[in-house]
Amino acid sequence: MKSNLLAMVAAVLVAAPSHAETTLTVRADAPGARINPAMWGIFFEDINFGADGGLYAELVKNRGFEFPEPMMGWSKLSPSKARGQLSIRDEQPFNARNPHYLRIESEGGDLFGVANEGFRGMGVKKGEAYDFSAQIRKVAGTPAMRIELYSADGTLLDTQPLGDFTNDWQQRAVVLHPRETDAHAKLYVLLDGKGAVDIDFISLFPENTWKHRPGGLRADMVQALADMHPGFLRFPGGCIVEGSVLDRRYQWKKTLGPVAERQLLINRWNYEFLHRPTPDYFQSFGLGFYEFFQLCEDIGARPLPILNCGMACQFNSGELCPLDQLDSFVQDALDLIEFANGPVTSEWGGRRAALGHPEPFNLTMMGVGNEQWGPHYFERFSKFAAAIKSKYPEIQLVAAAGPEPADDRFKQAWATLPGMHADIMDEHCYAKPEWFFDNTHRYDHYDRSGPKVFMGEYAAQSVAIVSTKNRNNLQCALAEAAYMTGLERNADVVRMASYAPLFASTEAWQWTPDLIWVDPLHVTLTPNYYVQQMFCLNRGDEVLPVEGGTADRSLFVSAVKDDGTGEIIIKAVNSGEVPLEVQLQVAGVSLKNGHVRSTVLAGMPQSENSPGEPTQIKPVETGVPLAGGSLTQHFEPHSFTVLRIQPD
Ligand code: AHR
């Protein structure tokens, strides 16, 4: 019995190959489709504290006391000797659109006031400066204030005085310099002495925002986007475009102008998942449409706004705007094009100029509806399309193909929308890694004469869609990379693609997996991020056919040529358990004295990055000369490799 077992083990050991060998020929002599310069992009939605509590660098949660529970995020600070009262009021507000404010009344004795906890942690860094500001008016006495930062363990990090208040609302400001770095600091707003003040719009921003813009975006998060070099930025979503009911839809015009006047709205992800409720999630719109366009310009991404089409989310109420009342929705779309591209003499071009950007934002495309389906959508889309195409025929219209990549809703969309001026169909897919590996040939047989494809939302789900157990592991990233080789090979049909969602707060997420995880102090890049980045950085300009491969289909390959450098770029996923030795040939160019640079993302399939171990999975770059014109490439198991071959 024992010897039988040993024989079996020995047989397995003998049979298991240490590596596999194959040959690949890249046909540089037979170039194919041109690749859209904006092929690989990003999808932004305010989900998982992506904007408020994330990209928008405001550190104070509920700064205007407009949450339905107006003291949410705030706590009373009342040392034993202090006597005072807090009340929420709305008479003669500083701002009628966000009318609530806090009254602090102190009878003296000790400092008395409130603390703000930030967005599940207020991240502050030693050596950096933080701008505190608030609207304040005196109500009684001659009160002074102290503005303080405390660490989570109760250490005073900085304190600054503020006084000489007037009876009218006035913006007051001080700068805080924390003595230590802390991920869970708190802001204290205290009355010092007897008296009373009204206070509103209490704000704390790092001075070190992206491009040092006051009230701007979190620098490290934008840097992660800039480092990707995305071709486009889709915003503001996602289901947030639709709203669970129409009143809660995203309305771009309400996101412009002074931030204090942008009306707070409950975030749909506040209450979407019973298993991940987020009662403190609201949209301040501090990151509004002007800032989106500015962000696109900053990072060199083409803007792709997605607008509500007169329908609330079909997974929620599906509320419809009656067709005879759709005009204002359609007008919003037309006005947005004018806002982005119109001359400064036009109404909305003038608004853009007044906000500081007389030059156009060069909008070339727009999505009508997010993840819609069915006849109600089609009749609404056709009204938008008629109006937009007659005024702006150059704008490419993106139409929704539903939430799944192959169901009846999808088929109906593809059967109907191409006849309605849909230039690009927005396909979505959240599925297991196997689906992505199995569907790398999905687009090989698409109609070349129909609308183009925007793979607008996709991500491999290690467990299942909306499972809280999904992981951003290497296995999922490789599945996405393999699938992307199929998108690239079909670049004549697939014009754009974006992973979704983009950001997630480790402290307050609703949806996983996500491309980039952040905590109050750090940004963690996932293996999936690196896959996206490797495609962005190695986009190329024309597709090159590849011949050969492995019989077991563990190797997924695509190739392109970079017109600027003349380099041949090969992307290869080895999803198998064994290394692959690949004899690479490039037909049509000489490689005798060439050079190859390789970037490899590899590891164990279940490996992932975390704030504690942010670089477990990270691309590694090497460069070697080409010896004698041929190239034998070793592809590690569970790896994604990009080779940039510089011919002679
Ligand atoms: O990416 C998360 C959500 O998935 C998007 O908001 C929605 O469009 C899709 O269902």
Side-chain angles (χ1 to χ4, degrees):
M1 180 71 174
K2 199 172 166 191
S3 62
N4 273 354
L5 190 62
L6 283 175
M8 274 168 65
V9 170
V12 169
L13 288 176
V14 169
S18 59
H19 70 273
E21 287 175 14
T22 189
T23 303
L24 288 175
T25 304
V26 176
R27 297 291 308 275
D29 56 344
R34 302 287 304 170
I35 299 163
N36 178 8
M39 174 83 173
W40 311 112
I42 47 184
F43 160 101
F44 180 86
E45 176 169 21
D46 192 2
I47 183 173
N48 303 316
F49 280 36
D52 285 284
L55 196 54
Y56 183 51
E58 173 64 85
L59 292 170
V60 176
K61 183 168 70 185
N62 192 13
R63 64 187 173 189
F65 304 96
E66 297 300 328
F67 286 16
E69 282 181 43
M71 289 302 287
M72 190 178 264
W74 297 94
S75 52
K76 184 170 166 180
L77 291 171
S78 180
S80 56
K81 284 188 276 160
R83 298 274 178 279
Q85 285 180 41
L86 302 175
S87 54
I88 297 295
R89 311 176 74 102
D90 61 4
E91 313 91 47
Q92 296 175 296
F94 150 67
N95 183 296
R97 287 208 188 123
N98 292 304
H100 298 100
Y101 57 85
L102 175 70
R103 177 163 292 177
I104 310 177
E105 296 168 275
S106 172
E107 294 166 23
D110 204 344
L111 296 169
F112 172 78
V114 287
N116 189 276
E117 67 190 17
F119 292 88
R120 317 282 184 100
M122 197 177 270
V124 297
K125 292 181 183 166
K126 181 179 173 176
E128 296 202 356
Y130 293 82
D131 292 336
F132 167 91
S133 65
Q135 293 290 335
I136 305 177
R137 74 176 165 201
K138 184 172 69 178
V139 177
T142 48
M145 294 186 93
R146 292 214 74 84
I147 309 302
E148 309 192 320
L149 267 177
Y150 273 87
S151 69
D153 68 5
T155 308
L156 180 64
L157 300 177
D158 196 11
T159 175
Q160 293 294 329
L162 204 56
D164 298 326
F165 304 117
T166 64
N167 293 327
D168 295 320
W169 288 109
Q170 254 193 343
Q171 174 156 359
R172 301 300 306 274
V174 292
V175 181
L176 296 164
H177 295 90
R179 285 187 250 288
E180 300 297 334
T181 295
D182 201 276
H184 293 90
K186 286 187 175 175
L187 174 72
Y188 285 23
V189 177
L190 299 159
L191 223 55
D192 188 0
K194 193 169 156 90
V197 296
D198 290 336
I199 186 163
D200 199 0
F201 215 72
I202 304 175
S203 172
L204 186 71
F205 265 92
E207 287 190 358
N208 180 25
T209 55
W210 172 253
K211 289 190 179 282
H212 294 277
R213 290 192 185 116
L217 306 182
R218 207 175 123 170
D220 55 352
M221 290 175 72
V222 182
Q223 192 61 55
L225 302 184
D227 291 346
M228 247 180 88
H229 296 274
F232 66 88
L233 168 60
R234 171 193 177 137
F235 59 90
C239 291
I240 214 160
V241 168
E242 306 158 50
S244 54
V245 291
L246 281 176
D247 265 359
R248 292 180 178 177
R249 72 187 187 279
Y250 197 106
Q251 297 186 59
W252 72 270
K253 288 177 180 167
K254 295 188 173 181
T255 72
L256 305 180
V259 281
E261 289 174 19
R262 303 182 192 179
Q263 201 171 18
L264 191 89
L265 184 68
I266 191 165
N267 188 307
R268 57 155 294 120
W269 299 106
N270 176 310
Y271 51 85
E272 178 68 16
F273 294 133
L274 284 179
H275 58 280
R276 297 286 304 174
T278 324
D280 52 346
Y281 202 3
F282 290 80
Q283 292 177 270
S284 71
F285 300 108
L287 168 51
F289 256 54
Y290 178 76
E291 292 80 15
F292 273 124
F293 279 114
Q294 200 176 37
L295 174 61
C296 291
E297 191 170 80
D298 289 350
I299 62 176
R302 291 189 196 168
L304 172 48
I306 308 285
L307 295 194
N308 187 294
C309 64
M311 296 175 82
C313 181
Q314 290 168 269
F315 290 112
N316 301 138
S317 70
E319 185 187 350
L320 296 173
C321 169
L323 282 178
D324 60 3
Q325 292 167 32
L326 202 62
D327 286 358
S328 67
F329 288 72
V330 174
Q331 194 58 46
D332 277 356
L334 296 172
D335 290 343
L336 181 61
I337 299 169
E338 187 175 286
F339 177 73
N341 295 350
V344 297
T345 48
S346 64
E347 182 189 348
W348 286 99
R351 285 289 297 273
R352 182 191 71 241
L355 292 171
H357 203 285
E359 297 306 318
F361 280 120
N362 300 320
L363 182 68
T364 57
M365 52 195 170
M366 171 182 277
V368 175
N370 169 47
E371 201 171 63
Q372 326 292 158
W373 64 84
H376 291 311
Y377 173 54
F378 306 148
E379 55 192 6
R380 281 162 183 74
F381 179 87
S382 75
K383 282 191 173 287
F384 275 81
I388 295 170
K389 286 291 183 184
S390 85
K391 191 162 183 195
Y392 299 107
E394 70 283 7
I395 293 291
Q396 294 275 292
L397 282 183
V398 177
E404 300 265 345
D407 63 3
D408 285 347
R409 296 170 290 192
F410 176 90
K411 288 177 193 148
Q412 222 186 354
W414 266 99
T416 313
L417 291 161
M420 294 180 168
H421 292 303
D423 299 302
I424 303 172
M425 299 291 286
D426 176 12
E427 301 190 355
H428 293 184
C429 182
Y430 298 96
K432 300 269 284 180
E434 294 75 20
W435 185 93
F436 290 91
F437 285 123
D438 289 347
N439 279 275
T440 56
H441 290 274
R442 174 181 172 85
Y443 296 105
D444 293 2
H445 309 294
Y446 262 51
D447 177 5
R448 270 37 209 174
S449 61
K452 303 301 178 193
V453 170
F454 168 33
M455 192 74 208
E457 293 184 29
Y458 66 94
Q461 316 284 299
S462 61
V463 178
I465 186 167
V466 308
S467 167
T468 56
K469 306 261 185 300
N470 287 327
R471 308 303 305 181
N472 278 102
N473 60 31
L474 181 65
Q475 169 76 353
C476 289
L478 294 180
E480 289 147 12
Y483 187 68
M484 290 167 80
T485 63
L487 305 185
E488 184 177 275
R489 278 190 295 99
N490 287 283
D492 54 335
V493 169
V494 183
R495 302 301 284 164
M496 295 186 296
S498 45
Y499 181 102
L502 179 63
F503 286 120
S505 156
T506 54
E507 319 268 335
W509 56 271
Q510 296 81 47
W511 180 294
T512 183
D514 303 284
L515 203 61
I516 300 169
W517 286 82
V518 299
D519 64 30
L521 293 174
H522 309 101
V523 166
T524 303
L525 304 175
T526 61
N528 318 70
Y529 170 92
Y530 287 120
V531 163
Q532 295 293 322
Q533 186 188 46
M534 286 162 74
F535 270 87
C536 287
L537 293 177
N538 298 287
R539 189 197 72 239
D541 298 294
E542 56 190 6
V543 177
L544 302 178
V546 181
E547 293 165 359
T550 52
D552 67 353
R553 299 215 41 234
S554 58
L555 181 62
F556 302 85
V557 188
S558 60
V560 296
K561 182 176 172 208
D562 183 322
D563 282 348
T565 62
E567 285 166 298
I568 312 295
I569 304 171
I570 300 172
K571 303 187 181 83
V573 174
N574 177 7
S575 64
E577 302 282 329
V578 294
L580 285 172
E581 300 296 331
V582 177
Q583 190 66 39
L584 277 170
Q585 282 149 11
V586 184
V589 293
S590 163
L591 301 180
K592 271 205 194 85
N593 302 303
H595 186 269
V596 60
R597 276 193 293 138
S598 78
T599 308
V600 180
L601 192 70
M604 298 304 289
Q606 304 312 317
S607 301
E608 48 189 273
N609 294 332
S610 63
E613 284 185 294
T615 55
Q616 277 250 37
I617 301 289
K618 200 175 181 256
V620 176
E621 288 193 25
T622 49
V624 284
L626 283 167
S630 76
L631 175 61
T632 304
Q633 183 66 34
H634 173 89
F635 292 117
E636 292 179 36
H638 310 296
S639 67
F640 173 44
T641 303
V642 176
L643 300 172
R644 289 190 77 107
I645 302 174
Q646 182 69 68
D648 298 358

